[in-house]
Amino acid sequence: MSKLFVSEHPLIHTKMAMLRSKETGTKEFREIIGEVASLLFYEATRELPLTEVAVQTPIAATICKTIDTKLAVVPILRAGIGMTDGILNLVPTAKIGHIGLYRDEVTLEPVEYYCKLPADVEERTVFLVDPMLATGGSADAAIGFLKARGVKKIIFLCILAAPNGVERLQKNHPDVDIYAAAHDGKLNENGYIVPGLGDAGDRIFGTK
């Protein structure tokens, strides 16, 4: 079964309190989402492979270590875009892809309407990002799309997770680890995470 990592870092706890508050405005919400994504990405990259490289410092030659895998960040549209810049601040050389999904009104299942990925995505460790893991439908589908395109190593990052989504991903994709800034207890009748933080996309882009 995949690993579920839920951060207990004091900085993330503090920033999550700000994200949850209905008093936090669009500009501040967007900035904090990026900051939390950056802190979460730091945790999610602890086990990346390293290789040794020769470096000449101003004083002497030495051997250092550097990440030995190519990286890609793939936000699920649209809210996942809010997490991307925070991650790119740490790994500016990572390639970026995008997956767009909508829910079929009859089947209620996610349908892909847009997918643009790096040409060599199958050679990269892919960080799939979306602020909310509620029912898990979108993340489940997006992971399936990535695997269908040959991606072998996928790590899922979210700001807030609910048991329904975690269970679905662990059942359908036991090879995909999940990193969350917080884990809430349930979904309400409308599929929103409780206590949650509202609609992440609307709060990031100021559309409601």
Side-chain angles (χ1 to χ4, degrees):
M1 182 178 290
S2 64
K3 174 176 63 179
L4 170 63
F5 173 90
V6 180
S7 177
E8 292 295 337
H9 197 286
L11 281 175
I12 288 185
H13 275 298
T14 301
K15 292 180 184 298
M16 285 303 300
M18 299 166 73
L19 288 178
R20 291 183 189 275
S21 173
K22 66 179 184 180
E23 304 301 325
T24 301
T26 298
K27 178 179 182 294
E28 188 177 12
F29 188 91
R30 187 185 304 129
E31 291 171 349
I32 298 169
I33 283 280
E35 292 167 355
V36 173
S38 182
L39 292 167
L40 201 58
F41 183 75
Y42 173 84
E43 298 288 358
T45 53
R46 284 184 179 274
E47 298 179 7
L48 290 182
L50 295 170
T51 189
E52 292 185 341
V53 295
V55 173
Q56 180 68 47
T57 81
I59 307 300
T62 189
I63 300 297
C64 298
K65 294 181 180 180
T66 187
I67 293 172
D68 190 27
T69 184
K70 295 188 286 187
L71 305 177
V73 181
V74 178
I76 297 176
L77 301 178
R78 66 180 168 149
I81 291 174
M83 298 175 66
T84 306
D85 284 349
I87 294 172
L88 290 180
N89 287 338
L90 296 181
V91 284
T93 59
K95 295 290 183 69
I96 309 297
H98 296 89
I99 293 177
L101 303 169
Y102 71 88
R103 188 169 71 167
D104 186 282
E105 294 299 328
V106 177
T107 66
L108 302 182
E109 290 300 312
V111 178
E112 176 188 332
Y113 69 85
Y114 183 80
C115 186
K116 184 70 172 179
L117 301 171
D120 61 347
V121 69
E122 71 281 356
E123 302 173 11
R124 295 177 177 270
T125 297
V126 173
F127 291 86
L128 181 67
V129 301
D130 195 7
M132 312 298 279
L133 179 61
T135 65
S138 295
D140 185 5
I143 291 169
F145 297 148
L146 290 172
K147 288 182 174 179
R149 288 162 172 82
V151 179
K152 298 176 179 62
K153 180 62 175 177
I154 303 167
I155 299 170
F156 181 74
L157 271 63
C158 62
I159 302 299
L160 197 53
N164 309 57
V166 170
E167 181 180 352
R168 181 167 179 169
L169 290 197
Q170 289 185 328
K171 176 183 177 182
N172 295 343
H173 303 285
D175 54 332
V176 176
D177 289 337
I178 303 165
Y179 284 78
H183 188 220
D184 282 0
K186 63 178 182 178
L187 302 179
N188 66 16
E189 63 277 6
N190 297 316
Y192 280 92
I193 299 175
V194 179
L197 49 75
D199 187 298
D202 284 336
R203 296 194 69 187
I204 289 168
F205 297 107
T207 49
K208 185 177 289 184

